[in-house]
Amino acid sequence: LAKTTQPISMDSYEGQEVNITCSHNNIATNDYITWYQQFPSQGPRFIIQGYKTKVTNEVASLFIPADRKSSTLSLPRVSLSDTAVYYCLVGDKRDSSASKIIFGSGTRLSIRP
Amino acid sequence: DADVTQTPRNRITKTGKRIMLECSQTKGHDRMYWYRQDPGLGLRLIYYSFDVKDINKGEISDGYSVSRQAQAKFSLSLESAIPNQTALYFCATSDAGQGDEQFFGPGTRLTVL
């Protein structure tokens, strides 16, 4: 199973850059790395996905080193509204891999004024 | 209108009752999923379906059953509800496999007394 390890919680302040690192030592060749954000009592929301190197969108950046055994989600200039739980997942997009993706407990990010 | 909808949003029931949670999507995706989330924990996969004729058990299928009535509809049933099935239930869809971006519904909060 593609298991990930990420910090249980992190604290930061408004305006800071936040980096959340995820470890996935047994990532497979066809696995992509995906990050989701979840607010209380809401469904997770896709943030970003990548396979290697760097991916950037309007919300975040995702840094993936060459060995792909870890990844870092970078949130620039966070605000109070970024307080949420962030999940790192690794998994194949092929149907044959379904049920092998695990949503761990995620990282609870708290942003303070 | 939301792409993935769930009904009901909240439900309180008694032990032994049969409960059905419904999910509808307008994204045109073939792949649909049911997850369960307990307080402070990540999501666990209950069942998934790759198309109308395909149903598969996930990590925690015992005590649950599903029905894929159409491409757009995927229902989860608790044949005889028990208190430890009290949880937040999410439906999700994806275009490709589970490792692709998943779109989640707003969730159903189920309480079994």
Side-chain angles (χ1 to χ4, degrees):
Chain A
L1 295 177
K3 182 177 179 180
T4 61
T5 302
Q6 50 185 123
I8 294 174
S9 64
M10 293 181 65
D11 295 324
S12 189
Y13 293 91
E14 282 191 296
Q16 299 296 305
E17 178 184 76
V18 171
N19 296 310
I20 306 175
T21 297
C22 179
S23 172
H24 28 80
N25 291 318
N26 60 345
I27 188 169
T29 301
N30 294 310
D31 284 346
Y32 282 74
I33 300 157
T34 309
W35 285 81
Y36 289 85
Q37 175 192 57
Q38 185 181 27
F39 297 114
S41 298
Q42 293 186 25
R45 182 176 72 102
F46 173 90
I47 299 176
I48 198 166
Q49 184 179 73
Y51 184 80
K52 61 180 180 180
T53 62
K54 177 183 175 182
V55 180
T56 297
N57 61 23
E58 65 278 6
V59 176
S61 294
L62 179 59
F63 299 93
I64 306 168
D67 66 5
R68 303 200 327 124
K69 293 184 181 299
S70 67
S71 59
T72 299
L73 173 72
S74 181
L75 304 172
R77 296 184 299 280
V78 294
S79 65
L80 296 176
S81 63
D82 292 314
T83 294
V85 178
Y86 292 82
Y87 296 97
C88 164
L89 285 73
V90 294
D92 198 330
K93 295 185 181 184
R94 298 173 299 178
D95 287 340
S96 60
S97 71
S99 84
K100 297 178 183 176
I101 292 178
I102 299 173
F103 277 84
S105 297
T107 296
R108 189 171 300 275
L109 176 64
S110 297
I111 305 301
R112 304 178 180 180
Chain B
D1 289 338
D3 294 321
V4 183
T5 58
Q6 294 183 231
T7 56
R9 295 294 313 278
N10 290 282
R11 182 72 183 269
I12 300 173
T13 190
K14 295 182 179 180
T15 297
K17 295 292 186 180
R18 184 178 187 274
I19 297 297
M20 178 180 286
L21 309 183
E22 299 186 347
C23 176
S24 295
Q25 53 112 348
T26 59
K27 299 197 70 65
H29 291 165
D30 285 329
R31 295 148 185 88
M32 298 186 72
Y33 313 86
W34 274 105
Y35 291 91
R36 164 181 173 159
Q37 185 172 37
D38 294 285
L41 301 179
L43 283 73
R44 291 184 290 170
L45 184 65
I46 307 173
Y47 270 96
Y48 58 99
S49 169
F50 292 150
D51 62 40
V52 176
K53 299 178 182 179
D54 177 80
I55 300 291
N56 303 279
K57 293 182 178 181
E59 178 187 357
I60 54 164
S61 59
D62 288 348
Y64 302 95
S65 63
V66 291
S67 173
R68 185 79 184 269
Q69 301 96 321
Q71 185 204 39
K73 296 184 182 297
F74 193 34
S75 300
L76 176 71
S77 293
L78 287 68
E79 297 301 326
S80 180
I82 56 177
N84 75 1
Q85 290 178 313
T86 293
L88 194 53
Y89 290 85
F90 291 104
C91 173
T93 74
S94 68
D95 189 22
Q98 197 185 10
D100 196 17
E101 177 181 356
Q102 295 184 52
F103 296 84
F104 285 81
T108 294
R109 185 171 298 280
L110 176 66
T111 302
V112 183
L113 301 176

